[in-house]
Amino acid sequence: MNIQKAKGTYDILPNQVYYWQHLENLIRKICETYNYKEIRTPIFESTELFVRGVGESTDIVSKEMYTFDDKGGRSLTLRPEGTAPVVRSYVENKLYVDGQLTKLYYMGPMFRYERMQKGRYRQFYQFGVEVLGSESPIVDVEVIALSVQLIQALGLKEVKVAINTLGDQESRKAYREALINHFTPVQQELCSDCQKRLNQNPLRVLDCKVDRNHPSFAKAPKMSDYLSPSGKDHFDTVLNYLDLLKIDYVIDESLVRGLDYYNHTVFEIMSNVEGFGAQTALGGGGRYNGLVEEVGGPAVAGMGMAFGLDRLILALEAEKVAIANQNYLDAFIVTMSESQEALAMKLLQTLRQNGIKADKDFNNRKVKAQFKQADKLNAKFTVLLGETEVQQNRVVLKNMKTEVQTEVAIVQLVNELKLRLEE
Ligand code: AMP
């Protein structure tokens, strides 16, 4: 029987991995530029963390978690998202004690038992940032600015930033009640998910893809009518600063995001490129001022966002952004016979110890086949151990592009190669 990959997962093969490495390198560089530090948390956590931190009524907790009991009878869950684990770690390690702003980023696999489709997997990769310790709306702007800089640095153009506010606790509560009053008379006409959501988390009804065209939606109350003065101030400052930094956005009052913990600013970054598929959200995030307390910590405000790396890669492909393939060699050593094996291996080691990306054949192939292999591996130079040359402690260096060959003393090989690789 052939064993195949588990449903909803995929392999990233060597001929695609350079896309990922490029993306990961860029993410690290931009996070460093913005003074965010990396944090790595475990792949699995107590189930309770996500139930409390993400919210029982969310799709994630109610139907998408990979939950299992370990041999000690503890209920564990493969992390479905990164914020709750980071906040758990922040609280557990008391990162708040110095009273400073804590700016963190993470990158890694997440797991959700979802219906498979293009851009939606059961194991997928997220990069996210979390800023803990400030209620300032300018922090929201920084997080959006970082997200937009990443999109621009990647070379993606067909992208839209949508933004909304859910207001502070007070505004959110008033709005919540208005939604319940509005939708209750038509509750029976809504999908079964929305019937449940209406009482648990009515904001999520607005997000429903099934009921979107129901006539009651067009007349639904708007958050902006329920914003308290402080909620409005917060949002206005965010918008003013986005304008100041010349970051384009559209206000989308139906944007509520899927997780329970958001308040104030929420935003999403979407791909507009044609043929991208139904899953257009590349990333998004928002403010979560009550979450740290919910997870057992002090009253510390938070703001964060997460991008799906899988979808960023799909967007790069859809927009045909060229990324240099790093699959090349500086040098490939070609031997004339098996008797040269020891010398070849010694030379190879010397090249590698000097930072020269080099390889050789390990299957006693004929000279012609070795040159073919060098070509296939995109070797810039071959180092041929010619019989007579080797007797004189020399080798033949061939530039594979120009096909120019020169003899080089073995002791000079590293220097000579380095010089020519710089040309
Ligand atoms: P969320 O944590 O749901 O706000 O998701 C943040 C980002 O992660 C989304 O915008 C997607 O890019 C990505 N994402 C979420 N779920 C999946 C999934 N099942 N497969 C691939 N990417 C996902």
Side-chain angles (χ1 to χ4, degrees), residues 120-400:
R120 192 198 267 159
Y121 312 101
R122 291 183 175 174
Q123 170 168 336
F124 59 99
Y125 296 81
Q126 274 189 347
F127 141 68
V129 306
E130 313 294 349
V131 184
L132 294 146
S134 171
E135 288 186 26
S136 168
I138 304 173
V139 165
D140 307 9
V141 175
E142 180 178 276
V143 169
I144 297 172
L146 184 156
S147 311
V148 170
Q149 189 162 336
L150 173 64
I151 291 292
Q152 286 169 347
L154 277 171
L156 294 175
K157 300 208 162 57
E158 310 279 327
V159 174
K160 181 177 93 176
V161 179
I163 186 166
N164 191 22
T165 177
L166 303 177
D168 50 25
Q169 314 288 47
E170 190 193 326
S171 329
R172 196 175 157 148
K173 215 171 127 207
Y175 184 47
R176 197 188 128 102
E177 268 160 36
L179 286 175
I180 294 180
N181 290 339
H182 176 77
F183 283 114
T184 301
V186 294
Q187 187 168 6
Q188 300 307 323
E189 295 164 31
L190 303 179
C191 73
S192 59
D193 278 344
C194 280
Q195 297 193 15
K196 269 187 255 149
R197 283 180 193 139
L198 186 54
N199 293 310
Q200 289 172 336
N201 188 357
L203 267 71
R204 287 291 320 282
V205 173
L206 297 177
D207 209 19
C208 181
K209 309 242 164 8
V210 182
D211 289 326
R212 183 173 279 168
N213 296 321
H214 188 279
S216 62
F217 274 58
K219 286 182 246 128
K222 292 198 179 319
M223 181 69 226
S224 47
D225 297 330
Y226 292 84
L227 268 186
S228 67
S230 75
K232 186 170 180 332
D233 269 0
H234 187 106
F235 195 47
D236 286 346
T237 308
V238 171
L239 300 185
N240 287 339
Y241 272 81
L242 288 176
D243 292 339
L244 179 79
L245 302 187
K246 298 195 164 48
I247 294 174
D248 287 335
Y249 59 87
V250 288
I251 297 175
D252 177 356
E253 288 212 53
S254 70
L255 182 68
V256 298
R257 313 258 316 130
L259 313 183
D260 273 1
Y261 50 58
Y262 289 116
N263 41 50
H264 285 295
T265 316
V266 286
F267 74 99
E268 211 155 82
I269 296 192
M270 267 122 25
S271 172
N272 285 332
V273 65
E274 228 171 282
F276 190 63
Q279 301 303 320
T280 55
L282 302 175
R287 184 160 273 286
Y288 49 85
N289 287 349
L291 182 64
V292 182
E293 268 177 297
E294 187 64 40
V295 174
V300 169
M303 167 75 198
M305 64 87 185
F307 270 107
L309 266 58
D310 318 68
R311 289 197 199 158
L312 287 172
I313 300 275
L314 286 174
L316 286 174
E317 286 167 1
E319 286 202 31
K320 301 194 169 55
V321 177
I323 288 170
N325 189 341
Q326 297 299 313
N327 291 333
Y328 69 89
L329 282 179
D330 292 326
F332 189 89
I333 296 181
V334 177
T335 52
M336 304 296 287
S337 69
E338 245 183 294
S339 62
Q340 293 177 329
E341 195 61 34
L343 173 64
M345 204 54 210
K346 244 175 78 182
L347 271 181
L348 186 58
Q349 185 75 346
T350 308
L351 295 185
R352 289 169 168 175
Q353 283 172 338
N354 281 281
I356 294 168
K357 208 170 151 181
D359 211 346
K360 68 183 275 302
D361 164 58
F362 290 94
N363 283 324
N364 295 323
R365 290 208 170 94
K366 301 241 157 58
V367 174
K368 208 171 150 197
Q370 292 180 57
F371 272 107
K372 257 196 177 154
Q373 203 180 342
D375 241 351
K376 229 174 139 187
L377 294 170
N378 282 328
K380 294 181 182 169
F381 289 89
T382 47
V383 179
L384 175 68
L385 308 191
E387 306 268 357
T388 41
E389 288 86 359
V390 166
Q391 275 169 16
Q392 299 157 8
N393 292 320
R394 302 171 81 78
V395 290
V396 182
L397 195 58
K398 180 177 174 188
N399 181 322
M400 294 296 279

